[in-house]
Amino acid sequence: PVYISVGVNFRKDGQVQLGEEMLPLSVLPERVRQALQNTSTKAVYLRADADVRYGDMIRVTDALKAGGVEQVGMATQPPKAEK
């Protein structure tokens, strides 16, 4: 699967992580198109820091759609148990 990560610094630097590579949002559509070129399903999983704003997630999702992504899944972690 293809994973896109949006870190807490996204608002400052506009960078997302595609696999192990950090890249600016402006090149994400082309890079994700390349990553999905030989796959039958055009789906990615999106991970984000809890402090990333909703509007920023929409910007990333729009860039993914521009790159040909048809399905975006959210990769989540269960909340930590309180002691």
Side-chain angles (χ1 to χ4, degrees):
V2 175
Y3 286 93
I4 308 296
S5 299
V6 183
V8 70
N9 290 327
F10 176 78
R11 184 161 285 271
K12 290 181 186 176
D13 63 16
Q15 298 274 316
V16 296
Q17 185 174 349
L18 172 60
E20 298 297 319
E21 178 184 15
M22 294 299 294
L23 47 101
L25 186 63
S26 61
V27 300
L28 182 61
E30 181 57 32
R31 299 289 291 146
V32 79
R33 187 176 292 114
Q34 293 169 356
L36 296 174
Q37 186 172 2
N38 296 319
T39 62
S40 59
T41 59
K42 305 302 181 200
V44 300
Y45 292 96
L46 188 57
R47 298 184 278 217
D49 186 86
D51 294 328
V52 174
R53 294 182 181 183
Y54 180 77
D56 292 332
M57 292 298 293
I58 297 301
R59 289 177 52 209
V60 173
T61 302
D62 287 347
L64 293 171
K65 297 289 184 178
V69 173
E70 297 170 357
Q71 297 177 351
V72 178
M74 296 294 200
T76 62
Q77 293 181 345
K80 295 179 180 173
E82 292 185 29
K83 296 181 181 180

